[in-house]
Amino acid sequence: MTTERYNTREAEPRWQAAWNDKRLFETAADDGRPSYYVLEMFPYPSGRIHMGHVRNYAMGDVVARYKRAKGFSVLHPMGWDAFGLPAENAAMEKKVHPKVWTYDNIAAMRDQLKSIGLSLDWSREIATCDPDYYAQQQRLFLDFLKAGLAYRRKSKVNWDPVDNTVLANEQVIDGRGWRSGALVEQRELTQWFLKITAFSEDLLAALDELPRWPEKVRTMQKNWIGRSEGLSIRWEIVRDAAHGGSPTREIEVYTTRPDTLFGASFVALSPDHPVSAACAECEPELAAFIEECHRAGTSAAALETAEKKGFDTGLRVRHPFDPDWELPVYVANFVLMDYGTGAIFACPAHDQRDFDFATKYGLPIVPVVAPEGTDPEALIADGAYDGDGRLVNSRFLDGMTVDEAKEEVARRLEAETLDATPVAARKVNWRLRDWGISRQRYWGCPIPVIHCDACGVVPVPDDQLPVLLPEDVSFDRPGNPLDRDDSWRNVPCPTCGGPAHRETDTMDTFVDSSWYFARFTAPRAGTPTEPAVANRWLPVDQYIGGVEHAILHLLYARFFTRAMKATGHVGMDEPFAGLFTQGMVVHETYRDADGQWVAPAEVRVAEADGARGAVRISDGQPVEIGPIEKMSKSKKNVIDPNDILETYGADTARWFMLSDSPPERDVVWSEAGVEGASRRVQRVWRLANEAAAKGALKGAAAPAEFSEPALALRRAAHGALARVGEGIEKFHFNVCVAASNELTNALSQALQGDAAVGEDMAFALREAAEILVLIVAPFAPHLAEECWAALGHETLVAETPWPEADPALLASDVIVYPVQVNGKKRDEITVPVDADAAAIEAQVRALEAVARAIGDKPIRKVIVVPRRIVNVVA
RNA sequence: GCGGACGUGGCGAAACCGGUAGACGCACGGGACUUAAAAUCCUGGGCCGCAAGGCGUGCGGGUUCGACUCCCGCCGUCCGCACCA
């Protein structure tokens, strides 16, 4: 037995160099092989990779290496999502230019990623902050502008008056800027939008044609897009406010429950509704109420718990079905301006919000829907009823089902008119809004337009692209450096030559990641894509990343692909045919007696008397073991991949990431688990060397006859081979690892003892070792190369085809039938595969265990399920 | 509140289409090798029970010769969205 150990630190860089020298992972030109595009979500260059990256890229690499071995032409590129706020923060805090900071980080992370041994085509590397990349993004933007898919409008934004910048919703904490702590204002700014709503219907419908996406993600997108069918109803204003009044003669509301119209008790307006504003002009108390709503509205926490509040405007509207029925109009804090028409009619009996409101202000609550045989009043005794039923208290609707009543109301109101136009119209409403992409930031892709007083918004002409970011900027003052850089900002108008200025907003960084997968297919092209090449590779066959991008990134990318199709850059609608969302890497947390977090590296965990305990290594003080949580700096439960790679090597880290836990679930990182993976790596290496010494020579012919032990080993090898291939196709990597472990165990068994082996076993040993090496290769590629060389090969595993499992060895010539009596297993019998049911039954009836189990009852039936099981019914 | 997912040994988990529940691994026990340890190898184990046997996939029902798997009703955990009319 060999006592040496496999030296990962020496071997891994050596094999990486070997792959690199042969340029094995650079994607070949179209050579007629079927193509396969594997992509993992590209990282933000924070400066260090984390364990989540290792897991994500290990999964992608398994697929890439497997598909390559299966004969596909594989595209597996890597790049950097390199624009964004952290670079500007670093510039402010550390006085480093964002560009320098970003490219330094990229260099550091590239080295780290390369040490993992991923089969990436580095020749296609892109960073979204490369002028080459964002130049093409500017072309796309201008094409979208021309196609009407980009436009400018006024929009409310969160404005931080101290930092002079716009904040995203998630950057506003309790109504204050996350950085400055200043009270955030709502400001109207003119912003650029991309018209994602142009594709609402298609983005929704096409989700049903993405069978290889997780159901969860499709559902989340469906909810986000939020299609609803309803009726838009115009209510005539019959009495104006005491002083002043409404600018219009009517109020339009949107409802999905027109059937409840006879249960209407009031109309409610959003505080931002134009009619609310008009009424407020002569009604200081109302103005104050609206102001209060705005203040409360900035805090998400306040919104959740906010009490329903309203203010009677004094306006009265006429019920569409009854000229004598007048309803009050309130301004209510729970009505949203940007959904529907910003106004609703309220039916308290069948909507909980309306119910709360009506209860508070003493408004009527009339039930109009109830299941047959129930008391409508009792139904709403302690809350709104939103279930199904038949109409009551509703005149001509009485007795109808909800659906019938909806249809009847729509039909009648479409026919009625108010001021010569129909009172109501059927309407489909969407929750999805257009995508605001303006950011008042430096480190992003400049929006390539010029503002001219005479000509308006002028696109930057193609020969003046790209609009490059100026490099000489300072971050010592708040606000957008582009805005105060006159030499960059002031330019002549491309149309009239007069004085003009550049757009100083840059694009949301989600734009950058909305098309990078397409750019990878022709990363150096002078146009955004080369359509013929893009069409060969896209859609991405397998995309892998975290669920946290289920909505925004994935929805934006789906929109972008459609917009790029509309502008002639690609030929398909969907960017990702297959999507896999992997779970997080989590770790135990530790706290000392003072409640301070302690890092895993400072802790020693030991088991004593069956209970796990932990102490701090430095002072031996006990440390409390806390819950397992996502790795985060604040809780200090972070494992640095660098430490792992140095101690155990890349293969161990990769192997561990893919063992045990199913890929879609969280994986708990533990020291013991890594140690285990490391032992497996060493064991495979040892067994491969032993098999090389004891097994047949490379390329030896198969003997005609195999003894039972040799045959068993061959079956184990081919069985594992089949299971691993199947497992990879289905993303069951943990099952693949288990299958390769089983083969490792079988090989180890066969290698026991010092006796020389026969020709048949020698052949089986080599065959099993080679299969083991090849099926382990996608998971632990360096190890595989080392073993492959030990087995006498001069070629690389990375260029070796995936072996075919021999079907004859997947099936045994005998079958073990479990024998049940009344569904409980009592015995088992072994019969030849071709044994017929009658013979099996006879054998089972004769079993002593069967007789014992049935006692003196007669056998009623014997069920023989071919190749599966026998059940005796007594 | 709405929507979705999940619940199997001490732990992570596996189980094809309804057919031997617990593969594989972690941790643990016993043994071999060793002056000793590490490493390695062998070996044990769902639970209760001396055993025969019984009980076991969150709980309660149902369908079936047979249910982790299908159906109905609960309980629990996690995730997403959230005043969307």
Side-chain angles (χ1 to χ4, degrees), chain A residues 696-725:
Chain A
L697 292 175
K698 181 178 66 159
E705 296 284 326
F706 286 94
S707 62
E708 192 44 49
L711 201 54
L713 180 58
R714 297 197 69 200
R715 287 207 187 98
H718 286 259
L721 171 59
R723 284 174 67 197
V724 169

Side-chain angles (χ1 to χ4, degrees), chain A residues 299-322:
Chain A
S299 155
L303 251 181
E304 279 169 37
T305 52
E307 194 191 346
K308 307 275 173 291
K309 278 187 193 164
F311 195 96
D312 189 348
T313 59
L315 296 179
R316 294 295 178 266
V317 289
R318 196 194 305 282
H319 193 280
F321 281 129
D322 185 345

Side-chain angles (χ1 to χ4, degrees), chain A residues 486-698:
Chain A
D486 288 340
S487 63
W488 182 82
R489 191 170 174 271
N490 297 332
V491 285
C493 170
T495 307
C496 70
H501 65 90
R502 290 191 188 284
E503 171 66 63
T504 57
D505 285 352
T506 53
M507 296 185 206
D508 180 2
T509 55
F510 273 112
V511 177
D512 312 338
S513 55
S514 290
W515 71 287
Y516 76 108
F517 49 88
R519 184 67 183 166
F520 274 137
T521 65
R524 313 287 172 240
T527 47
T529 65
E530 281 172 20
V533 180
N535 294 345
R536 175 179 166 226
W537 290 107
L538 293 172
V540 173
D541 294 279
Q542 186 62 60
Y543 195 38
I544 308 170
V547 237
E548 63 272 21
H549 295 111
I551 296 175
L552 296 183
H553 164 58
L554 290 167
L555 192 60
Y556 293 151
R558 295 181 65 220
F559 156 69
F560 239 78
T561 306
R562 283 164 172 77
M564 287 171 76
K565 185 186 179 191
T567 49
H569 295 289
V570 296
M572 75 295 306
D573 287 321
E574 289 294 338
F576 312 120
L579 171 69
F580 188 88
T581 53
Q582 100 266 12
M584 295 182 299
V585 182
V586 295
H587 196 283
E588 273 181 345
T589 49
Y590 308 101
R591 301 180 96 146
D592 65 15
D594 302 329
Q596 298 296 308
W597 300 104
V598 184
E602 302 165 28
V603 169
R604 184 171 49 238
V605 179
E607 192 155 340
D609 303 327
R612 291 181 74 239
V615 293
R616 178 156 44 205
I617 294 167
S618 59
D619 57 8
Q621 287 302 303
V623 171
E624 192 196 338
I625 300 179
I628 294 168
E629 298 194 57
K630 178 180 183 173
M631 288 187 181
S632 75
K633 273 185 201 145
S634 62
K635 291 186 177 138
K636 284 203 180 173
N637 61 337
V638 179
I639 301 289
D640 189 337
N642 261 6
D643 297 344
I644 302 300
L645 293 173
E646 274 178 34
T647 313
Y648 298 98
D651 287 338
T652 295
R654 296 169 56 132
W655 193 306
F656 177 57
M657 290 274 86
L658 300 172
S659 313
D660 294 350
S661 291
E664 67 278 10
R665 247 180 263 180
D666 291 350
V667 63
V668 183
W669 182 273
S670 72
E671 193 68 18
V674 194
E675 297 276 358
S678 177
R679 283 198 294 272
R680 305 307 302 185
V681 167
Q682 294 295 338
R683 190 160 187 240
V684 168
W685 180 77
R686 224 167 28 239
L687 291 174
N689 279 281
E690 286 176 35
K694 217 169 178 180
L697 292 175
K698 181 178 66 159

